[in-house]
Amino acid sequence: QVQLVESGGGLVQAENSLTISCAATGRTFSPTAMGWFRQAPGKEREFVAAITWNRGSTLYADSVRGRFTISRDNAKNTVSLQMKTLKPEDTAVYYCAARMRDEAIVVVTTRSYDYWGQGTQVTVSS
């Protein structure tokens, strides 16, 4: 089985920065893509960023482009999300996701991923 564990969430003030990480278990971990999603209270889970495992190609939601940076360390089976200039509207539970199937055409939907972490809370105060 594949297990994803997020870490690094916390409470930060607006305009500050925070980096969250996701660690995957398993020696044979070899996803085609990793993604970050977030879910705020009363809202649907939404796409934040994705990265392909081999080439490291990235894609960002319009709301975070220019502020967030997704990266991965293939050797350590980890993926991180560096969040800068955080805004109160960034407050949400952030989830790490792994796609284990073939290379995805679409990476912005939850159904494109096969495994999910438990989530880490990010709270941005105004």
Side-chain angles (χ1 to χ4, degrees), residues 25-37:
T25 62
R27 177 65 179 84
T28 61
F29 185 69
S30 184
T32 55
M34 298 290 294
W36 283 101
F37 289 74

Side-chain angles (χ1 to χ4, degrees), residues 22-84:
C22 172
T25 62
R27 177 65 179 84
T28 61
F29 185 69
S30 184
T32 55
M34 298 290 294
W36 283 101
F37 289 74
R38 67 187 182 186
Q39 187 167 21
K43 296 184 178 180
E44 297 289 326
R45 188 169 300 188
E46 67 174 352
F47 171 78
V48 176
I51 186 169
T52 63
W53 198 244
N54 292 328
R55 291 188 175 183
S57 302
T58 59
L59 182 67
Y60 297 92
D62 291 342
S63 60
V64 306
R65 186 176 295 109
R67 298 188 298 120
F68 290 12
T69 302
I70 187 172
S71 62
R72 87 275 194 261
D73 188 329
N74 302 63
K76 296 182 178 180
N77 292 340
T78 59
V79 60
S80 297
L81 185 68
Q82 183 182 43
M83 302 177 288
K84 296 183 177 180

